[in-house]
Amino acid sequence: MPEKTLKLDATQEGLLQAAHILRSGGLVAIPTETVYGLAGDARNDTAVARIFEAKGRPHFNPLIVHVSDLAMARKLAVFDAMAEAVAAAFWPGALTLVLPLRPDAGLSPLVTAGLQSVAIRMPDHAVAHHLLQTFGGPLAAPSANPSGRVSPTKAIHVERGLGGRIDAILEGGDCQVGLESTILGLDGPPVLLRPGGIPLEALEAMLGPIGHGGNAAKPNAPGQLASHYAPEAGVRLGVTQPDPGEIWVGFGPGCTGAQISLSANGDLVEAAANLFQSLLDADKLAGPDGRIGYAPIPEIGLGRAINDRLRRAAAPRPQTI
Ligand code: TXA
Ligand code: MG
């Protein structure tokens, strides 16, 4: 964790420095028109794990990916005619679209929380736009506040909440919208996943009546997207001695013989960065009727979020038809 949080001005030099920090896997709080976001390279597992660590989030929810332009967005998600039309009408702006993830998107699976969809938005803010251009890639950015606190609309709010926990804050003045983006699910019939800066009426004027998608703040709540989180193989937790034939996912130096390790030296940021990939890899090794055993993870810091996700993976499955 950085000792000191740099304050960067939105000058050419400040933007170059912010982009450099992001390229090295660091975290920079950035202004957008909605709220300040805590940005990290969306393709870098460790950077994304650090976002959750810095916010102190007790669970991994999927994050919004910010892009500078449509060309960047089209590399990440599949845009059908409706998605193209909505993007043309509302981007840049306070609207996030949830779209099918492209298999070659190259995003960290932690950004999408292992889902086959991705939330994308093109911010309408000159500083955010120039930074995204300078960086040249997608940035994952939830609101730049500690978990459970209100979203920041000024750089000073970010400093009070996350100073000393992140690498830099890019100054960009007050956020004009002041609340988060509206989230529209377009990976099926249009559905409102979170009300926000763009009114529902504006979307309905274009698309007709839009259904409500329940609690998008908890897309992993029971019944919602739950199946996406579970591997096909059965999962057992707290395994210090794997059963015969069980794929063992280790954590820490004691797990000799584990086929996969979340972190050989017991680093929770590294373990979080590897978590979703480990579920996919272990599932492949185990096969559909196989079994996966995860070594115990301490219930501290990012360990809480890791255990939350693993408990979901290990929970009894609802019957699918
Ligand atoms: O205004 C905003 O949108 C701010 C600024 C910084 O851009 N960002 C923001 O990001 O609020 P974030 O990462 O906190 O938003 C996460 C929410 C999740 O809680 C979930 O509701 C939704 O985005 N989300 C992300 N990916 C999703 C997916 N694949 N399917 C459904 N919902 C998703
Ligand atoms: Mg937030």
Side-chain angles (χ1 to χ4, degrees):
M1 204 172 284
E3 284 171 14
K4 193 173 177 309
T5 299
L6 287 175
K7 271 169 271 166
L8 303 174
D9 287 324
T11 56
Q12 178 80 354
E13 201 192 327
L15 291 172
L16 284 171
Q17 204 169 345
H20 174 75
I21 292 169
L22 291 164
R23 272 185 213 113
S24 354
L27 302 186
V28 180
I30 63 166
T32 82
E33 80 279 32
T34 58
V35 299
Y36 273 76
L38 180 56
D41 185 343
R43 302 158 300 190
N44 180 330
D45 293 319
T46 307
V48 180
R50 285 191 183 130
I51 293 177
F52 288 100
E53 188 195 36
K55 284 181 65 83
R57 274 224 177 136
H59 55 88
F60 296 120
N61 60 335
L63 301 178
I64 294 174
V65 175
H66 298 67
V67 297
S68 54
D69 50 61
L70 264 170
M72 197 186 278
R74 290 192 191 108
K75 287 187 190 153
L76 307 176
V78 181
F79 280 71
D80 63 8
M82 188 190 281
E84 287 286 350
V86 174
F90 291 95
W91 280 359
L95 180 69
T96 294
L97 300 181
V98 174
L99 300 168
L101 175 69
R102 282 181 64 119
D104 58 350
L107 294 175
S108 163
L110 205 48
V111 166
T112 52
L115 296 169
Q116 295 306 308
S117 56
V118 57
I120 306 184
R121 133 175 154 80
M122 190 192 298
D124 185 14
H125 192 288
V127 177
H129 181 75
H130 287 138
L131 176 65
L132 281 158
Q133 274 187 326
T134 309
F135 177 65
L139 290 174
S143 54
N145 52 285
S147 184
R149 303 253 293 271
V150 294
S151 298
T153 54
K154 295 171 187 285
I156 182 72
H157 299 163
V158 180
E159 199 182 336
R160 283 189 201 127
L162 295 176
R165 301 181 63 82
I166 62 177
D167 297 286
I169 301 171
L170 184 58
E171 176 61 68
D174 296 358
C175 301
Q176 294 306 306
V177 175
L179 80 172
E180 277 96 341
S181 61
T182 301
I183 303 181
L184 181 68
L186 282 184
D187 52 341
V191 55
L192 182 74
L193 296 172
R194 178 176 79 182
I198 296 285
L200 179 62
E201 290 79 357
L203 297 172
E204 289 191 322
M206 180 174 181
L207 298 171
I210 295 175
H212 287 250
N215 186 359
K218 285 193 183 152
N220 47 4
Q224 248 195 306
L225 310 177
S227 61
H228 292 279
Y229 289 86
E232 282 189 60
V235 178
R236 201 159 69 94
L237 305 183
V239 173
T240 50
Q241 192 69 54
D243 290 338
E246 192 175 39
I247 300 300
W248 194 24
V249 184
F251 175 80
C255 299
T256 37
Q259 286 91 336
I260 298 174
S261 177
L262 286 177
S263 167
N265 59 3
D267 179 330
L268 287 169
V269 175
E270 187 185 6
N274 289 330
L275 178 63
F276 282 94
Q277 197 59 51
S278 79
L279 283 165
L280 295 170
D281 292 346
D283 206 19
K284 207 176 271 174
L285 284 176
D289 298 320
R291 298 206 48 91
I292 304 169
Y294 271 82
I297 311 288
E299 187 74 8
I300 48 164
L302 270 183
R304 278 186 237 281
I306 295 172
N307 283 324
D308 170 74
R309 177 58 65 243
L310 286 177
R311 279 193 286 270
R312 286 169 208 279
R317 312 291 156 73
Q319 291 297 312
T320 46
I321 39 167

